């Protein structure tokens, strides 16, 4: 048996459930490879929580994934009504708090208070929730530093790839520009418009039917999600931007006529996020990209981003999210935190 790492999952939607499944399937392999035994000791959604100080076994984790949405409080005999972090923490003393609640860009809640609570209780934090970092990156990182814990957030940008890990590891580089397709939903919609020759509203309906777009898709189509990712990148590069400083163009203004005209001229219409690091300026804009260029060929739910530094150019192409991909990024963060501790 390896060293125990006790983990709390706060938020049990698409990513939380995918993570519980991946942990159930891979914890023995991770234990034999790295000598770390990941024990999920508590899980919470908006209505309730389930806790087990000795950790849920693989079977229990898979059964937990079968409870209906908002149904963690039905998971007997471990269930509690309502969410109370005091109860979760006092009963389980977690090593890692995994924050998977919705990204809410006005207040950052409930993720922001949860993350601060975890830090104050001496737990490391892994988050896929962008909003607390977008609103209070500096405060969170300095609070974690002062309490001797770490925060990792690889799932927040191009979550299906190791983009953040690579960017943070480029310590000797002067990163000059970051540019790319950072939102899977808007890229899917634009791809549908090009391939099926449909109007924006029909492509959006298709994205919603496939579960790619939310019932309220505004964060994706108006560029807020992509801008949030640029804010996180800008903080990593120590050139912090505020989300309201980023000029955004919504893909809802792209018509089928625009698409046809662009194609006739040899272009593809994409939503491109760019950050001029030296100039301290960023935007999310609708761009006509020559068909032969790389970004023109990144379609559907794929994302792509180019990092240009004084020394090199690196390109990442991969899934921006998706439950399983994001869960793996979160799990990678949990494992790497546990390594750094040993
Ligand atoms: N999905 C992706 O591919 C992806 C990729 C990268 C990053 N992210 C980010 O990861 C986070 C989770 O995404 P998701 O797709 O899993 O979202 P989701 O399906 O909407 O799940 C959110 C979960 O948070 C729970 N929750 C809401 N308020 C809560 C509270 N006060 N206390 C405890 N739990 C609460 C919800 O409870 P109920 O079940 O009761 O509603 C739900 O279980 C978001 O911040 C998202 O932006 C997602």
């Amino acid at each position: 048996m390896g060293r125990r790492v006790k983990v709390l999952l706060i938020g049990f939607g698409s990513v939380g459930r995918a993570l519980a499944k991946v942990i159930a399937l891979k914890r023995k392999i991770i234990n034999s490879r790295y000598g770390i035994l990941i024990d999920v000791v508590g899980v919470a959604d908006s209505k309730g929580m389930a806790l087990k100080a000795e950790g849920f076994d693989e079977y229990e984790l898979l059964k937990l994934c079968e409870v209906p949405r908002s149904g963690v409080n039905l998971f007997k005999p471990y269930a509690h009504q309502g969410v109370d972090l005091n109860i979760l923490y006092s009963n389980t003393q977690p090593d890692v708090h995994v924050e998977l609640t919705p990204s809410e860009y006005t207040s950052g809640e409930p993720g922001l208070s949860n993350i601060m609570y975890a830090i104050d209780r001496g737990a490391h934090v892994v988050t896929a929730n962008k909003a607390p970092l977008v609103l209070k990156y500096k405060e969170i990182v300095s609070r974690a530093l002062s309490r001797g814990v770490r925060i990792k957030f690889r799932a927040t940008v191009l979550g299906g790839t190791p983009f953040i890990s690579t960017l943070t590891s480029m310590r000797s580089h002067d990163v000059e520009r970051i540019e790319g397709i950072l939102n899977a939903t808007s890229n899917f919609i634009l791809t549908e418009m090009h391939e099926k020759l449909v109007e924006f509203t029909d492509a959006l309906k298709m994205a919603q039917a496939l579960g790619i777009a939310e019932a309220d898709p505004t964060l994706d189509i108006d560029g807020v999600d992509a801008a949030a990712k640029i804010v996180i990148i800008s903080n990593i590069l120590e050139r912090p931007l505020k989300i309201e400083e980023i000029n955004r163009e919504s893909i809802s203004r792209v018509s089928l006529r625009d698409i046809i005209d662009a194609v006739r001229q040899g272009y593809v219409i994409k939503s491109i996020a760019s950050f001029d690091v030296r100039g301290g300026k960023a935007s999310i804009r609708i761009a006509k990209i020559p068909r032969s260029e790389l970004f023109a060929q990144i379609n559907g739910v794929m994302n792509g981003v180019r990092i240009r530094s004084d020394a090199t150019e690196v390109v990442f192409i991969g899934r921006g999210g998706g439950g399983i991909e994001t869960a793996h990024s979160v799990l990678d963060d949990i494992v790497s935190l546990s390594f750094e501790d040993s």
Side-chain angles (χ1 to χ4, degrees), residues 9-18 43-49 68-72 82-85 99-105 109-111 114 127-132 154-160 214 219 225 229 319-327 330:
L9 309 186
I10 308 301
F12 204 57
S14 317
V15 180
R17 284 160 196 254
V43 173
D45 61 19
S46 68
K47 298 283 189 320
M49 53 195 187
R69 181 96 190 198
S70 304
V72 169
V83 183
D84 185 337
L85 289 185
E99 186 59 36
L100 303 171
T101 59
S103 292
E104 198 286 313
Y105 293 104
E109 300 299 351
N114 289 350
T127 181
N129 180 351
K130 293 172 275 294
R154 200 178 113 169
T156 56
V157 187
L158 250 79
E214 310 260 328
L219 290 182
D225 174 76
K229 290 166 178 166
R319 294 206 31 141
I324 289 291
E325 293 85 346
T326 309
V330 171

Side-chain angles (χ1 to χ4, degrees), residues 185-200:
T185 305
S186 52
N187 201 40
F188 176 88
I189 291 171
L190 290 174
T191 305
E192 284 288 293
M193 292 176 74
H194 280 89
E195 289 180 355
K196 310 245 168 83
L197 294 179
V198 291
E199 288 288 358
F200 168 80

Side-chain angles (χ1 to χ4, degrees), residues 147-193:
R147 306 285 159 113
V149 295
R150 289 182 300 283
I151 172 153
K152 293 209 176 256
F153 45 88
R154 200 178 113 169
T156 56
V157 187
L158 250 79
T161 76
F163 167 75
I164 292 257
S165 326
T166 305
L167 187 63
T168 48
S169 71
M170 292 171 71
R171 294 192 178 87
S172 65
H173 292 246
D174 261 339
V175 176
E176 293 165 349
R177 190 172 181 81
I178 305 241
E179 187 166 48
I181 296 168
L182 291 186
N183 182 267
T185 305
S186 52
N187 201 40
F188 176 88
I189 291 171
L190 290 174
T191 305
E192 284 288 293
M193 292 176 74

